[in-house]
Amino acid sequence: MYIIPQNLKIEAKNILKNCFYIISKGNFNNLINSFEFFNPYSYISSTLNVNDQLNNIVIKTLKLAIPQIDNLFLNSQYRKNNFYKSDKHDRSFTTIFGDLEFERYYYTDKNKKNGFYFIDELLSFEKYTRYDPLVRAILIDNSVSTNANITSNRTSFILNNYKDYLSNNIYKNIPRQTIYNWKLKWNIPKVEYELFEGHKNLYVMIDEKWIHEQIRLATLSEEEKKKHHYIMSKCFVTFTGAKTKNRRTKLLNRHVFITTSDKPWKEFIDEIYNIYNFEELENIYLLSDAGTWILAGKNELKLFKNNNVIVNICEFHVKEYINRMVRDKEKRAELVTTIYDEKDKNKFINLADKIIEKAQNKDKKIQYKNYVLNHWKGIQNMREREIHSSMESHISHCIAANFGSRPKGFSRTRIEKYIKLEEYKQNGINIMELYLKSYNQKDYIYNKEDVSFSIFENKTSSNLPTKSSNNPISLVLNDLAYGF
């Protein structure tokens, strides 16, 4: 990346201002005539026409300014001293205002023999892409909320004239594979979250979801080809309490962490250690289905002596095993009462043995019985909690809805990025803002404590026009304000 002298930047900005004045002045009557009155569709027609005219003004301004700015650099003493001029090359760029096509010179460094396009450097146009960052950010953000296919169909209107939709004209559509490639190329940054302090209790809900893996069959043996291949995603949901209002419960200070790593506990602890103050935590309630990998890492939660880790087994899974053990509704209800209300382990064993004795598939029934017995303490702990597990709904919303509800597969190189974006969305991160701030940076770290929207704000400086100024921009604004 080459350093552009400040004087050239200022002159280029003045050229852009003058071009905007020329184009705006020339299209002023068209803009005024865009307003229609005294018909049933006045507002709709006026809005669409004004939108078209404003988009045209921006595109025409850039098309007029770019050759002049390029010639400014071409004829500058700085260029003559440092760069050779080469041929002109075409460039097409899709923006939210429409398609931008232009030519610009290629310049070669006299010392390093490296080349660059001055216009591309000045306007921060990336190499090898036809879409500007804002277009990409909008579509990536929408694809996280839905999927690439729906996003392509629903949000391509940003590249088209709104009237095309109303008149059923053919309009452009961004291929979903293109949106996939944008995500794959994006070096998704790490997010630093705010610290939640002043809490003594922490709830940790954990579960997993299997996602179909997309693999190349040519790389597998005949036996491997017959197997179903899956990627195991692990989801952690942490919160410090819950608040119920109008029969809806909100988890307080909630944080979602999703990974496909084979070392999920290490990554999880590394993240939440900077989110919750473990020195203040007294009780850490682990809510899960007692999966082997989950219980194997429960001691990782005890970071300080005062941290008391309490295992709680979710009622959903307990009742699921009871339902598999016996079909009779009365016997199911009796088993549930014995476990949760009477808390009588011996009675449960007697009831379960009678069911197993009459069952055909005894091994499975014994397995369900042993699950309850092995986790009896955790089952009772869950019953005593005021806050119960909602992990199944989290799995459904965070993973299953996007990655498991349709018969499709994901490669291991892509799935981690997809679920990381889903995690960020669940944690309230603005994906569009995140992309715009990091798409061209490798080591960018997003700090949620210090969210800044400065790149989107209008900044004032001494060289901006005022109403009393004779600056071309001021004249156009004055015409727009008082020309009626």
Side-chain angles (χ1 to χ4, degrees):
M1 186 173 183
Y2 288 88
I3 298 175
I4 300 174
Q6 187 65 23
N7 67 310
L8 290 179
K9 291 182 180 179
I10 295 173
E11 291 184 52
K13 189 172 183 179
N14 289 331
I15 290 175
L16 192 62
K17 289 180 180 180
N18 290 328
C19 289
F20 176 70
Y21 168 69
I22 293 170
I23 297 297
S24 299
K25 194 72 173 177
N27 288 268
F28 181 74
N29 289 332
N30 291 335
L31 187 61
I32 298 302
N33 292 332
S34 297
F35 292 92
E36 297 184 10
F37 303 98
F38 307 113
N39 72 69
Y41 305 104
S42 296
Y43 171 75
I44 297 173
S45 300
S46 298
T47 302
L48 293 175
N49 290 333
V50 168
N51 178 76
D52 293 343
Q53 290 299 324
L54 291 175
N55 285 346
N56 287 334
I57 287 173
V58 173
I59 294 298
K60 288 179 179 179
T61 298
L62 290 173
K63 286 183 176 180
L64 180 63
I66 284 175
Q68 296 182 32
I69 295 173
D70 207 17
N71 286 330
L72 168 71
F73 182 74
L74 174 67
N75 298 319
S76 68
Q77 193 60 45
Y78 174 76
R79 196 282 305 170
K80 294 176 181 178
N81 293 339
N82 296 283
F83 303 96
Y84 296 111
K85 182 195 75 171
S86 187
D87 297 331
K88 273 188 175 182
H89 297 101
D90 295 332
R91 181 78 191 264
S92 61
F93 216 59
T94 300
T95 74
I96 61 172
F97 304 104
D99 288 335
L100 176 64
E101 297 179 355
F102 56 92
E103 289 184 330
R104 74 275 195 244
Y105 283 109
Y106 186 78
Y107 302 98
T108 305
D109 195 313
K110 290 183 177 181
N111 299 318
K112 301 179 181 178
K113 303 302 179 184
N114 295 328
F116 80 114
Y117 295 100
F118 172 72
I119 291 297
D120 291 11
E121 291 286 331
L122 183 68
L123 299 179
S124 299
F125 288 162
E126 298 169 273
K127 297 179 180 178
Y128 317 119
T129 180
R130 291 184 56 249
Y131 302 93
D132 77 4
L134 190 55
V135 171
R136 299 200 304 271
I138 291 171
L139 282 120
I140 287 176
D141 179 68
N142 277 275
S143 70
V144 175
S145 300
T146 55
N147 61 61
N149 190 35
I150 296 175
T151 296
S152 178
N153 294 331
R154 290 183 179 176
T155 63
S156 290
F157 70 85
I158 62 175
L159 311 179
N160 302 278
N161 189 315
Y162 292 114
K163 293 179 180 177
D164 291 340
Y165 288 85
L166 299 177
S167 58
N168 292 322
N169 290 336
I170 297 175
Y171 55 86
K172 299 175 185 177
N173 204 9
I174 297 179
R176 60 182 180 180
Q177 186 60 46
T178 300
I179 302 174
Y180 289 145
N181 293 337
W182 292 343
K183 289 183 181 179
L184 193 62
K185 182 181 178 181
W186 180 23
N187 184 29
I188 300 175
K190 177 181 174 58
V191 172
E192 292 184 351
Y193 295 92
E194 60 182 313
L195 176 65
F196 298 122
E197 295 187 278
H199 302 283
K200 295 184 178 181
N201 297 325
L202 179 67
Y203 296 83
V204 182
M205 299 189 298
I206 309 175
D207 206 351
E208 73 275 347
K209 178 68 179 178
W210 294 92
I211 301 171
H212 289 278
E213 182 181 8
Q214 188 181 65
I215 55 175
R216 294 183 179 180
L217 294 177
T219 63
L220 302 179
S221 65
E222 291 300 321
E223 287 297 321
E224 285 292 321
K225 290 180 182 179
K226 297 177 183 179
K227 298 179 181 179
H228 292 288
H229 293 267
Y230 296 94
I231 299 170
M232 184 182 180
S233 62
K234 300 93 172 175
C235 184
F236 299 77
V237 180
T238 53
F239 56 99
T240 58
K243 182 179 181 180
T244 302
K245 183 179 181 180
N246 297 330
R247 295 195 297 180
R248 292 187 64 86
T249 300
K250 177 183 178 181
L251 303 184
L252 304 177
N253 303 319
R254 190 194 73 155
H255 181 78
V256 176
F257 177 79
I258 313 173
T259 184
T260 60
S261 170
D262 57 356
K263 297 178 180 179
W265 276 103
K266 181 181 182 303
E267 294 182 3
F268 170 64
I269 295 298
D270 287 344
E271 174 147 329
I272 66 165
Y273 179 74
N274 297 313
I275 300 175
Y276 303 97
N277 190 342
F278 275 76
E279 291 187 58
E280 295 179 346
L281 294 176
E282 296 178 1
N283 298 312
I284 302 176
Y285 301 106
L286 176 62
L287 288 63
S288 74
D289 62 354
T292 303
W293 73 272
I294 296 174
L295 294 183
K298 66 181 179 66
N299 291 330
E300 300 287 340
L301 291 168
K302 189 175 178 62
L303 302 182
F304 294 91
K305 291 182 179 180
N306 55 295
N307 298 152
N308 180 30
V309 180
I310 303 170
V311 176
N312 303 262
I313 308 302
C314 301
E315 292 184 13
F316 174 85
H317 297 283
V318 176
K319 292 180 179 179
E320 182 181 37
Y321 283 130
I322 290 173
N323 290 343
R324 292 178 183 178
M325 184 181 295
V326 59
R327 292 185 178 181
D328 185 88
K329 292 184 178 180
E330 293 183 0
K331 291 183 179 179
R332 286 177 176 177
E334 188 177 8
L335 287 172
V336 170
T337 301
T338 302
I339 296 171
Y340 286 110
D341 296 332
E342 299 175 1
K343 302 179 183 180
D344 191 334
K345 184 185 290 189
N346 292 327
K347 183 178 179 180
F348 169 77
I349 293 173
N350 293 331
L351 292 173
D353 287 342
K354 290 178 181 179
I355 294 171
I356 294 170
E357 186 178 347
K358 298 178 181 179
Q360 293 182 350
N361 189 353
K362 290 182 169 44
D363 291 340
K364 280 290 182 183
K365 309 296 182 183
I366 293 173
Q367 180 181 338
Y368 303 146
K369 168 193 168 184
N370 290 337
Y371 175 86
V372 175
L373 294 176
N374 292 339
H375 305 295
W376 186 267
K377 178 61 177 175
I379 293 172
Q380 304 305 321
N381 289 339
M382 187 75 261
R383 191 67 168 182
E384 296 171 1
R385 299 280 81 76
E386 294 182 0
I387 299 175
H388 288 196
S389 174
S390 59
M391 194 63 210
E392 292 304 314
S393 62
H394 277 85
I395 282 287
S396 176
H397 286 93
C398 299
I399 302 177
N402 297 316
F403 308 110
S405 61
R406 295 175 181 85
K408 55 186 176 182
F410 298 86
S411 67
R412 290 185 179 271
T413 56
R414 286 187 173 185
I415 191 61
E416 189 65 31
K417 283 196 171 186
Y418 291 168
I419 64 174
K420 188 56 63 176
L421 288 175
E422 177 63 26
E423 172 192 308
Y424 286 171
K425 184 189 79 174
Q426 293 294 329
N427 290 327
I429 301 300
N430 187 319
I431 303 300
M432 183 175 171
E433 181 203 5
L434 184 69
Y435 181 82
L436 289 174
K437 286 188 172 182
S438 65
Y439 73 91
N440 58 352
Q441 300 186 49
K442 291 184 178 180
D443 301 318
Y444 178 78
I445 297 178
Y446 181 94
N447 192 326
K448 198 171 186 295
E449 280 187 314
D450 187 27
V451 177
S452 172
F453 295 92
S454 59
I455 65 171
F456 310 117
E457 294 174 354
N458 292 324
K459 296 183 178 179
T460 58
S461 63
S462 58
N463 64 345
L464 290 180
T466 63
K467 182 177 180 297
S468 61
S469 172
N470 289 323
N471 187 291
I473 299 297
S474 180
L475 296 176
V476 173
L477 296 177
N478 186 71
D479 284 344
L480 289 175
Y482 303 102
F484 290 92

